[in-house]
Amino acid sequence: MIRKTAGGPPAAARRTPPSIRDVAAAAGVSYQTVSRVLNGSPSVRADTRTAVLAAIEEMGFRPNRSARALGLGRARAVTVVTADTMLYGYASTLQGIEEAARAAGFAVGVRVIESDSADDVRQAADYVADPSAGAVVVIAFDPAGAKVLAALDDDVPAVAAIEASGRRDTGRVVICLDERVAAAQATEHLLALGHRTVHHVAIPSEDGGSGRQAGWRDALERAGAPVPAVVPAGWDMAAAYAAGRRLAADPLVTAVLCGNDDLALGVRRALYEQGRDVPGEVSVVGFDDIPGSAYWTPALTTVRMDFAGLGRACFEAAVAQLAGDAQPEVSLIAPCLVVRESTAPPRTEP
Amino acid sequence: MIRKTAGGPPAAARRTPPSIRDVAAAAGVSYQTVSRVLNGSPSVRADTRTAVLAAIEEMGFRPNRSARALGLGRARAVTVVTADTMLYGYASTLQGIEEAARAAGFAVGVRVIESDSADDVRQAADYVADPSAGAVVVIAFDPAGAKVLAALDDDVPAVAAIEASGRRDTGRVVICLDERVAAAQATEHLLALGHRTVHHVAIPSEDGGSGRQAGWRDALERAGAPVPAVVPAGWDMAAAYAAGRRLAADPLVTAVLCGNDDLALGVRRALYEQGRDVPGEVSVVGFDDIPGSAYWTPALTTVRMDFAGLGRACFEAAVAQLAGDAQPEVSLIAPCLVVRESTAPPRTEP
DNA sequence: CGAGCGCGTGTGACCGGTCACGATAGCGTG
DNA sequence: CACGCTATCGTGACCGGTCACACGCGCTCG
């Protein structure tokens, strides 16, 4: 490592960045006073404070994050635990967390969960047990995230972002987007258009019962419509495409609710290849409102979700937990259906 | 912070996680020996090592990352500096870095650059100057990234991911995807199909001269084709859409190369709304091969880029720099054109 | 047979902050 | 005028690792 050079070259540039003690010496106070200024302690006289601040400014001093974390016991940081970083919902949530963290002067780390195997789950949980991880937000939209949440050591300050409320109690703070009512809304839109029922191509869900899928089922049951078998498609567009081909072959299918916009794309492509017009013959609705969906042909009817808001709320909650404060009120923008071109009344029977 | 409880409740669970000295005491050695085992020092007798390892295992000891970083002078971590986390190229590169880092046992941090203003650039550079940032990878596809790269303190171990070689020398290790030849390839494909020339809707570029745009120009000039004015569209699909409307109005436009797939989507939508068939009347090619592009209608001809490989290579290079090792050889998958449905020969003049 | 060397290990200081406590000064009060 | 209190500031120890160096031991070699 770099050590302070005692004699060094004559006009050598400083090697080691200034420490709190260097600043103290320059300002003519003790290191503790500098520390107090850094932490905004009220018991520092105004002129002392300005002197210290001037020294800090002049020397270009910046507190060492590792040292601070070591002394404090936990870092002023947030680390996001997630099974994926590219999928729109995950990436947007991460973005929301990052923005809020940066605004608050927190460092941000990312730890992805390789799989939901016991080993990978444990490794992720161990990772965030380290104090340098700071506060933790686990994105628990899927089984891997949910397992990590359960495996977390009790004393790591963590909150979870989940898909829908009503999940079994975990003893942890959770913040959710209400996808269930949103999915119901989308399904009702299709029903109101005159469709007999709505098929569902699903993403993997944490428990298969409380999120998008549940909302779809709710709406169908409330309307007394038949509830077709769910078509699972993973996160994979290819799987959605395959599912779409099967659906396309069935003349009774006139409306499809997809677990997310990517799946909707796969389904729509399959429909296209089979010559089934969207929305003329079958209506398709997605979920998430990814940026491109408004530009598709036809533009996709979908449900807009406030993932970024979810991320920000999670950050606030995680920090509150880190500080031992009461949980802040959360106010998220409710999901909303945005109707575009991919839905229409079913073709009237000839 | 949590302090060790001296007397504490009778059967109280341990509060503080075990430290290196606790392990040493349990194994009957000194803390330094434990440290040596942790770092794989060869000068530890085999049976001593196994004893220490057993104690570590039994106590569930995990080294404190902050303490290690403080002692070492730099953290075993990599932090990614980027202007964006959602755009496909950026997100994929980040993903590649994360995978490699996780495999190597490195922590990963993210720091996004708010804008390319002097202030934001400086803040980002300051952030990674902290030793806890570890090695640094700056994604310099855009002006903000390039500015941060230039603003970096000389002694922070950093490498940059850039769009194409041939950039002005920065004195920094840079790793690039050769987009220039890739763009030329795509342009030549269109020319070979019989198009008189190719229009270009561009993403922002770091210097407007060495990346995608330059490759396009190269190919046009080599073929003696006219070089139309570049249509800049930012990162914004709406801007691409607007550009597409203008292009659609010009009957001379028969082929469009877009700076990325998102822009291609905007352009294609505009063409669609104007009733200009793709690829019948105009051919469109994108860049990046985002996951959905194969499922669009028509499926997009585009250039596949190995962003994940770029990310992995950047990580390796950054770590080598952190360790003071020689730069490793990099081998990236070259970009390749994937021809799908959105390109065809121009309609023959009636 | 003693000096020299290499192996395996332990001790002390240090990284750069934080906490707990003590010291000093200035002030008001009985 | 002695006492106590508060505002302000400084000293020492500590967080949990790392480095530099010293030490004891057994071996080889002159």
Side-chain angles (χ1 to χ4, degrees):
Chain A
M1 67 179 292
I2 300 168
R3 294 277 173 188
K4 288 190 176 79
T5 55
R14 56 165 181 70
R15 279 293 62 188
T16 304
S19 84
I20 201 179
R21 326 218 175 210
D22 298 328
V23 173
V29 297
S30 76
Y31 54 81
Q32 178 63 287
T33 299
V34 177
S35 175
R36 277 190 261 260
V37 170
L38 251 23
N39 294 292
S41 161
S43 58
V44 175
R45 216 171 29 199
D47 55 343
T48 308
R49 180 189 313 277
T50 59
V52 170
L53 253 15
I56 286 176
E57 177 64 23
E58 194 203 350
M59 309 181 77
F61 165 83
R62 344 215 94 244
N64 179 307
R65 290 199 293 268
S66 297
R68 209 198 279 248
L70 188 57
L72 240 25
R74 271 240 152 207
R76 275 177 56 91
V78 58
T79 114
V80 182
V81 178
T82 178
D84 194 285
T85 58
M86 304 272 303
L87 257 11
Y88 182 74
Y90 295 79
S92 301
T93 305
L94 172 56
Q95 179 173 256
I97 296 170
E98 192 281 334
E99 285 171 6
R102 179 154 38 85
F106 273 57
V108 6
V110 175
R111 167 66 214 218
V112 350
I113 317 165
E114 177 104 32
S115 78
D116 69 347
S117 73
D119 222 51
D120 289 333
V121 164
R122 158 161 294 276
Q123 281 182 27
D126 278 352
Y127 181 91
V128 294
D130 187 282
S132 75
V136 174
V137 175
V138 8
I139 300 184
F141 297 158
D142 49 54
K147 286 185 185 178
V148 169
L149 187 62
L152 245 34
D153 210 274
D154 282 333
D155 44 47
V156 352
V159 304
I162 64 174
E163 47 183 1
S165 58
R167 278 249 304 267
R168 69 209 175 335
D169 186 41
T170 62
R172 283 280 184 189
V173 174
V174 296
I175 298 183
C176 72
L177 242 23
D178 225 337
E179 305 193 337
R180 183 168 186 159
V181 320
Q185 244 181 286
T187 306
E188 280 154 12
H189 162 67
L190 258 2
L191 259 15
L193 246 20
H195 295 274
R196 208 181 108 268
T197 188
V198 176
H199 287 71
H200 182 47
V201 177
I203 53 174
S205 77
E206 197 280 305
D207 57 6
S210 60
R212 301 178 182 195
Q213 194 172 314
W216 161 78
R217 194 182 310 270
D218 288 350
L220 251 26
E221 287 171 353
R222 271 201 297 270
V227 180
V230 169
V231 185
W235 293 112
D236 193 0
M237 274 182 279
Y241 170 77
R245 288 189 76 98
R246 264 174 286 128
L247 258 15
D250 181 351
L252 258 34
V253 174
T254 66
V256 182
L257 174 65
C258 300
N260 72 26
D261 290 351
D262 287 337
L263 299 191
L265 187 61
V267 168
R268 185 264 183 283
R269 171 80 197 185
L271 258 11
Y272 166 80
E273 287 182 11
Q274 302 292 303
R276 300 204 64 185
D277 185 54
V278 174
E281 291 178 68
V282 5
S283 288
V284 173
V285 359
F287 224 107
D288 286 357
D289 193 27
I290 65 175
S293 59
Y295 292 89
W296 294 357
T297 51
L300 186 71
T301 292
T302 187
V303 179
R304 180 174 305 156
M305 308 282 297
D306 184 22
F307 288 114
L310 175 66
R312 286 189 291 269
C314 285
F315 173 75
E316 303 301 345
V319 168
Q321 196 153 326
L322 182 65
D325 294 348
Q327 284 302 314
E329 289 297 314
V330 311
S331 62
L332 301 181
I333 296 174
C336 83
L337 180 69
V338 359
V339 177
R340 291 199 274 244
E341 302 166 350
S342 66
T343 49
R347 170 171 293 176
T348 52
E349 319 284 336
Chain B
M1 68 179 292
I2 300 166
R3 294 276 174 191
K4 287 190 178 78
T5 56
R14 58 167 179 68
R15 276 302 50 197
T16 305
S19 84
I20 201 180
R21 326 218 174 209
D22 299 327
V23 173
V29 297
S30 75
Y31 54 81
Q32 178 62 291
T33 299
V34 177
S35 175
R36 277 190 262 260
V37 169
L38 251 24
N39 294 293
S41 161
S43 58
V44 174
R45 219 172 24 197
D47 56 343
T48 308
R49 181 189 313 277
T50 58
V52 171
L53 254 14
I56 287 176
E57 178 65 23
E58 194 203 350
M59 310 182 76
F61 166 82
R62 342 217 94 243
N64 179 307
R65 290 199 293 269
S66 297
R68 207 198 279 248
L70 188 57
L72 239 27
R74 273 243 151 206
R76 275 178 56 91
V78 58
T79 114
V80 182
V81 178
T82 178
D84 194 285
T85 57
M86 303 272 302
L87 258 11
Y88 182 73
Y90 295 78
S92 303
T93 305
L94 173 56
Q95 179 174 255
I97 295 169
E98 192 280 335
E99 285 171 6
R102 180 155 38 84
F106 272 57
V108 7
V110 175
R111 166 67 213 218
V112 352
I113 317 166
E114 177 103 32
S115 78
D116 69 346
S117 73
D119 223 50
D120 290 332
V121 164
R122 156 161 295 277
Q123 281 182 26
D126 278 352
Y127 182 90
V128 293
D130 187 282
S132 75
V136 174
V137 175
V138 6
I139 300 185
F141 296 158
D142 49 56
K147 286 185 185 178
V148 170
L149 187 62
L152 246 33
D153 211 274
D154 282 332
D155 44 45
V156 354
V159 304
I162 62 174
E163 47 183 3
S165 58
R167 278 254 303 269
R168 69 208 176 333
D169 186 40
T170 61
R172 283 283 183 186
V173 174
V174 296
I175 299 184
C176 72
L177 244 21
D178 226 337
E179 307 194 337
R180 185 170 186 158
V181 319
Q185 243 180 286
T187 308
E188 279 155 11
H189 162 69
L190 258 3
L191 259 15
L193 247 19
H195 295 275
R196 209 180 107 269
T197 188
V198 175
H199 287 71
H200 182 48
V201 177
I203 53 173
S205 76
E206 197 283 304
D207 56 6
S210 60
R212 302 178 182 196
Q213 193 172 315
W216 161 77
R217 194 183 308 271
D218 289 349
L220 252 25
E221 287 172 352
R222 270 202 298 271
V227 180
V230 169
V231 184
W235 292 113
D236 192 359
M237 274 181 280
Y241 171 77
R245 289 190 75 97
R246 265 175 283 127
L247 257 18
D250 181 352
L252 259 33
V253 174
T254 66
V256 182
L257 174 67
C258 299
N260 73 25
D261 290 350
D262 287 337
L263 298 190
L265 187 62
V267 167
R268 185 264 183 286
R269 172 81 196 184
L271 258 12
Y272 165 81
E273 287 182 10
Q274 302 292 303
R276 302 204 63 186
D277 185 55
V278 174
E281 292 176 68
V282 3
S283 288
V284 173
V285 0
F287 223 106
D288 287 355
D289 192 27
I290 65 175
S293 60
Y295 293 88
W296 294 358
T297 51
L300 186 70
T301 293
T302 188
V303 179
R304 179 174 306 157
M305 308 282 296
D306 184 22
F307 287 113
L310 174 67
R312 285 190 292 270
C314 285
F315 173 75
E316 303 301 345
V319 168
Q321 195 154 327
L322 182 66
D325 294 348
Q327 284 303 312
E329 291 296 316
V330 310
S331 62
L332 300 180
I333 297 173
C336 83
L337 180 69
V338 358
V339 178
R340 292 198 272 244
E341 302 166 351
S342 67
T343 48
R347 169 171 293 177
T348 53
E349 319 284 338

